Amino acid sequence: MFLYLLVYVAYHSSRWLPRTQRFKFQIVNAVFILVVLIPQIYIMARPKSSRYCSQPLLVNLSASVVLSFIASGFSLLFTLIDPLPQSLWASFHVFGLLSCGHGLCTSVLTLTAAECVKSTPELYYMSVALTVASAVSAGFLLLRGGLWLSNMRPVAQTG
């Protein structure tokens, strides 16, 4: 859910700016994408990360990198296109489901990989960081969704 939340925040933050000033936001967006991607790629490329671990944390991290690239594409599109086509919104929400599933998998793998802290510490701590980020993001999005549902007005019944 962490990557879904990042795109969501990028979209809503860019809408506060006039269209003519969104280029500056694109630069900030690119820097933020690099801040998210570089540590993941660095840890994935380290020789220590390929050591034996009972859980497939390296495979999970590579899935996270792929999802991070997809999220960067969404954040770029969402800040450039105005108005957004319905099909792009739909694909973004499918990405959100994938991101949620990845967050759940990361959480389960991290909770069951306590012995990996000795063999692959950087990989394990990156997995812990992704788990915490995913849990915080899920909590925020659940709170946001609950507030959205509470503000919906009931449909008037005719009869």
Side-chain angles (χ1 to χ4, degrees), residues 88-123:
L88 189 58
W89 271 115
S91 60
F92 173 63
H93 292 307
V94 169
F95 170 75
L97 291 174
L98 288 172
S99 182
C100 180
H102 179 261
L104 290 172
C105 288
T106 302
S107 300
V108 168
L109 289 174
T110 303
L111 290 173
T112 58
E115 70 278 352
C116 293
V117 73
K118 293 177 183 167
S119 61
T120 56
E122 296 93 355
L123 188 59

Side-chain angles (χ1 to χ4, degrees), residues 59-159:
V59 173
N60 190 51
L61 184 61
S62 61
S64 179
V65 169
V66 169
L67 288 175
S68 296
F69 276 112
I70 294 170
S72 65
F74 273 121
S75 66
L76 180 71
L77 288 174
F78 277 27
T79 55
L80 287 177
I81 300 174
D82 194 19
L84 289 173
Q86 202 65 17
S87 60
L88 189 58
W89 271 115
S91 60
F92 173 63
H93 292 307
V94 169
F95 170 75
L97 291 174
L98 288 172
S99 182
C100 180
H102 179 261
L104 290 172
C105 288
T106 302
S107 300
V108 168
L109 289 174
T110 303
L111 290 173
T112 58
E115 70 278 352
C116 293
V117 73
K118 293 177 183 167
S119 61
T120 56
E122 296 93 355
L123 188 59
Y124 176 77
Y125 289 123
M126 176 58 82
S127 187
V128 169
L130 290 173
T131 299
V132 170
S134 191
V136 169
S137 301
F140 172 79
L141 289 169
L142 283 173
L143 179 66
R144 178 93 170 122
L147 291 173
W148 176 74
L149 286 174
S150 69
N151 286 334
M152 289 183 62
R153 294 200 169 103
V155 178
Q157 295 187 8
T158 57

